[in-house]
Each structure stands twice: as structure tokens, then as C-alpha cells.
Amino acid sequence: MQRVLAKQGSIYLHCDDTASHYLKLLMDAIFGQGMFRSQIIWKRNSSHNDSKSWGRICDVLLFYGQPIDREAVRVPLDEGHKAKSYRYQDERGTFMPDNISAKGLTGGGYFYDFYGHPGPWRYPEDRIRQLDADGMIYLPAKPGGVPRLKRYLTDKGQVPPNLWVDVNKLENPAVTPERLGYPTQKPLALLDRIIKASSPPGGVVLDPFCGCGTSIHAAEALGRHWIGIDISRFAVGLIRNRVVNAFDGLTIDDVPVRGVPVNIEDATALARRNKLEFEKWVCGEIGAEGLFRDPGTPGPDGGVDGVLPFVPIRFGKTIKPEWAVIQVKGGTVTPDSVKALEATVNRLPNVTAGVFVCFNRYMQTVENQRSKARFEDDMGSYPVIQGYSIEDVLKHKPLDLPPHRGVARRIPQIQVGSYQPGLVKN
């Protein structure tokens, strides 16, 4: 990463307190101690019950590179802070008296007499005299009070400090969920702030461990070019589905990928070589997520390789997601395995449908053994159990389900009473 980083670029390393101190030494050695800008403490959640220690609710971001674009990341001032600190008025407006003494600051300050105080001061004498001439110095009424700088209240807001407590939630509304079920998913607001601060419009963002693609999503939304890398084939499909569904005008062809099957020969070879990676790839391409564990994790899966949330449209009722379970077979399909999927659908709460994925040569077995039952919403009728071939996966064929996160199937933002014909089924 040091080799490919542009001279005007920056790098953020996210970690937890388990290794942050070791990684700081490593980053200093590789990027240079002079490139270190800040250690950001990110409050990732509000509470955590650790039985043997303090609740661990924070992670660390080590920031190396060029200074940030301060104007791009300003946030509104806290209302409580405004009421407490901005309590003074003059003809220019509301202000707070801010410290200009350099006492206690690393590197010291400037020594000269200013209203009877020798310093040290944060500014050179000529600058502080000019601020005084411009009416920017506040003199306390109390005898001997130390002069302070007038900070006027504006609409610009403030640059966030290195303690981030305002981006710790993943938004999860019913019909446009941000949460994708990925175990280490970050909120978009976190990556949005980083990219705004440290990359110019039209610049390139590289995330070499891109997971479910939050950095990619944020970069696309902010008009940056981007490259994402991940070891998981599940992540590749998930990211492509995510950006195609999130942005108007993007298609599958606009998001080229490397290292995953692109034809039936590649898919067959992967199924023979690594069953778990094959399952991950299929779940990623479909847009599924984990139910009780990460997709493709070794061990008994109870007939569930992944789950796919969808949104039945029932007018006059609260819109809430239901689930389809995904069962992937890279080899022979038996009648019992198809019937087991229906039993899984019937057994799990809030699960309405099942999708059996296999190679096309076994699809006749699926069709012969699957339940022909259907479920309905106000937009149509759908199979409780459906077959979906690997050939369908490669063609990005839509599943026969209500609106879901599948490829090129945007989850509609529908409010009861404002239905527009054609919005859902197209």
C-alpha cells in the first residue's frame, strides 16, 4: 500500500485495541513517523458487556498522509455546547472567548507583554496585535483576566475532533436497509467522512480489504474512482449487487470483477476445488447474507447457506422484510435434499420462501420434488420453493420474489397510500 499510495494521498488503518499499538510502530516504520497525522477513536456502538474488563465499544483509526480538507467535513455544533459556550454578544454577533495562551502546549509559544501578561502566546506578536486592532480580542472584566480570542458562532459548524461518537449506527429502515448482515460492516457515514476529508473529487480510493463494500459505496456516491479487493468471493458479489442496486444508471457491466467464475466451466471447477468458496460465491451473486453465521462457514448449516431479505407489498399494512433461505449444491442433488429445504422453510420463523441452487443438469430433480405451494402479496404470486440454476446465477437472472437486493433489483421506497403502478415488478 505504501508503494502505490500517491504522494498527495492518505491512508487510514482501522483496527481495535488488540493490536493498535503494534500497528502504530509498523506504520511509522513503513510510512514514516512524520506522515502520522492522528489517532482517531471511533465509538462503534453504545454498550458492550465484557465480563472480565471494561465494555469495549471503540475502535482505532490510524491516519497517515496529507492534511485533511477541513471545509469538507464540518459538522453542526452540538446544541448544548452552543448554549453553554456561546454566551457573549457584541455588534458582530454571538461569540465564545477562546484560549490563546500556549501554556501546556507541546512546542511552547511566543513570549511578549500583552495587556500585562508575558505569555507564552499561541500567535506571534504582530498577529495578535492585528487581531486586537480588528476587535477580535476579548478582555475579561475581572482585573488581571487573561485576554482571549473571540470565536463567533457561524453556520459553518466545526471540524470533528479525533473522538468520533456521531457515526456509530448502521441505518436499517424497512425498505432501504443499509445493514447487509456482514459481520464487520461499517456505517456509510464513517467512510463518507474519511473520503471527503482525504480525497479530491475524481480521485481514486483503494480499499484492499473491502468486505461488503461500504468504502466502495461511499466513493461512488462522492464521485470518486475506486478499486476494491477482498479475499472472499462472497464479498465480490455482495459489493457488485450493492452498488448496482444503489445507483441509478449502473449495470452489472459497469462493475468489472476479477477472480470469480464468469462461465459454467469456472463455476464447475470452483465447486470441485472448494465447496465452501463455491457457496460463498453463489450467495454473494444472489445478494444473500448469513442467518446464524457468515455464509460458507464450515460446520452444520441446518439446510441454510444464506438468507435473502425481501419486502412483500401489502397495502394498508406495515412494510416489513421477510426471508428466503438459500440452499446451494455444487454436486449431486437428491430428492431428500430438495424436500429438506421445504422443511427448513417451515421450521424457521419469518421465513416464507426457499431457493434451491444447483447446476442445470439437476434442475429436473428440483422441479419434480419441490413443493408447488405459492404465497402472495398485493403485487403478485410467488413460489414457496423455487429452483435456480448456476447458469441463472451467471446470467444474473432475477429470482421470482417480491422486491429484494438481488442484482439490478432496487428495493423500492414505497409508502402506504403512495403506490405508483409498475414501480415494483419492473
Side-chain angles (χ1 to χ4, degrees):
M1 288 182 278
Q2 190 273 343
R3 179 178 62 81
V4 301
L5 185 66
K7 290 183 178 179
Q8 69 274 22
S10 298
I11 179 170
Y12 289 77
L13 174 64
H14 170 261
C15 56
D16 61 22
D17 55 358
T18 305
S20 60
H21 306 85
Y22 305 108
L23 290 170
K24 172 66 166 62
L25 293 172
L26 185 63
M27 294 289 283
D28 283 349
I30 294 175
F31 291 90
Q33 190 174 4
M35 290 290 284
F36 175 71
R37 296 293 175 187
S38 183
Q39 174 180 276
I40 300 163
I41 304 300
W42 170 48
K43 182 183 176 183
R44 68 177 186 269
N45 53 29
S46 298
S47 62
H48 197 276
N49 185 20
D50 291 308
S51 60
K52 297 182 179 181
S53 184
W54 312 108
R56 296 172 63 187
I57 63 172
C58 296
D59 281 356
V60 176
L61 293 161
L62 300 175
F63 166 38
Y64 287 73
Q66 301 306 312
I68 66 171
D69 181 353
R70 295 170 57 86
E71 298 306 311
V73 293
R74 290 186 179 273
V75 296
L77 288 172
D78 178 75
E79 291 298 324
H81 172 68
K82 287 197 296 185
K84 180 179 179 180
S85 301
Y86 288 86
R87 298 181 290 110
Y88 298 83
Q89 293 275 348
D90 64 11
E91 65 279 1
R92 294 182 180 178
T94 304
F95 69 91
M96 64 172 287
D98 199 4
N99 185 27
I100 52 175
S101 170
K103 290 181 180 179
L105 292 183
T106 302
Y110 302 89
F111 289 89
Y112 49 84
D113 184 81
F114 187 54
Y115 286 104
H117 297 274
W121 304 104
R122 298 189 181 195
Y123 306 119
E125 185 173 7
D126 57 345
R127 183 178 178 190
I128 208 168
R129 300 283 182 197
Q130 185 60 53
L131 287 169
D132 191 24
D134 292 340
M136 295 296 293
I137 299 299
Y138 170 76
L139 298 175
K142 181 177 67 174
V146 179
R148 302 175 76 87
L149 178 68
K150 294 180 181 179
R151 296 277 187 195
Y152 285 92
L153 181 62
T154 70
D155 295 331
K156 291 176 63 177
Q158 66 175 350
V159 177
N162 68 342
L163 174 61
W164 293 359
V165 299
D166 57 335
V167 288
N168 64 329
K169 292 182 179 179
L170 280 169
E171 298 301 328
N172 192 24
V175 294
T176 54
E178 179 182 342
R179 190 180 298 275
L180 300 175
Y182 204 82
T184 58
Q185 183 176 352
K186 310 298 184 297
L188 264 173
L190 179 71
L191 277 302
D192 179 88
R193 177 174 294 174
I194 290 172
I195 293 172
K196 282 180 179 177
S198 294
S199 75
V204 179
V205 174
L206 168 64
D207 188 343
F209 310 98
C210 58
C212 64
T214 303
S215 59
I216 303 309
H217 190 151
E220 180 70 25
L222 293 171
R224 273 64 166 177
H225 300 290
W226 51 266
I227 302 168
I229 304 170
D230 202 272
I231 196 172
S232 170
R233 290 174 175 86
F234 169 71
V236 172
L238 181 64
I239 293 169
R240 184 167 58 178
N241 292 342
R242 178 175 184 171
V243 295
V244 167
N245 281 312
F247 298 99
D248 290 322
L250 278 184
T251 69
I252 290 296
D253 295 334
D254 296 322
V255 187
V257 298
R258 306 276 180 90
V260 297
V262 295
N263 53 46
I264 199 65
E265 290 78 19
D266 292 346
T268 301
L270 178 60
R272 290 172 177 170
R273 184 173 67 250
N274 193 318
K275 174 185 175 182
L276 293 174
E277 282 299 310
F278 179 76
E279 291 177 2
K280 289 182 181 181
W281 168 67
V282 170
C283 287
E285 290 294 315
I286 291 176
E289 61 184 55
L291 184 58
F292 305 115
R293 59 200 179 96
D294 301 343
T297 302
D301 58 20
V304 180
D305 292 316
V307 295
L308 183 64
F310 60 88
V311 186
I313 307 300
R314 297 185 175 95
F315 298 114
K317 297 183 180 180
T318 301
I319 296 176
K320 59 181 181 180
E322 296 178 14
W323 303 88
V325 295
I326 311 299
Q327 177 68 57
V328 182
K329 289 290 184 183
T332 303
V333 175
T334 66
D336 286 344
S337 61
V338 180
K339 293 176 181 177
L341 176 60
E342 183 178 1
T344 300
V345 171
N346 294 331
R347 184 182 79 249
L348 296 176
N350 300 320
V351 171
T352 307
V355 180
F356 198 102
V357 185
C358 63
F359 286 96
N360 195 57
R361 57 184 177 273
Y362 299 113
M363 284 296 292
Q364 192 59 51
T365 301
V366 176
E367 285 301 308
N368 290 341
Q369 300 299 323
R370 73 175 180 88
S371 166
K372 302 305 188 290
R374 301 181 72 84
F375 69 98
E376 297 181 349
D377 67 3
D378 289 340
M379 302 302 298
S381 173
Y382 313 91
V384 171
I385 304 295
Q386 61 184 290
Y388 191 74
S389 70
I390 299 301
E391 288 79 359
D392 293 333
V393 173
L394 292 166
K395 294 175 183 177
H396 309 292
K397 179 182 176 181
L399 290 166
D400 191 7
L401 288 171
H404 58 279
R405 274 203 303 265
V407 175
R409 288 286 297 271
R410 188 181 314 281
I411 296 179
Q413 299 186 42
I414 295 178
Q415 296 179 352
V416 174
S418 61
Y419 164 63
Q420 300 175 29
L423 179 63
V424 178
K425 292 294 284 186
N426 291 341

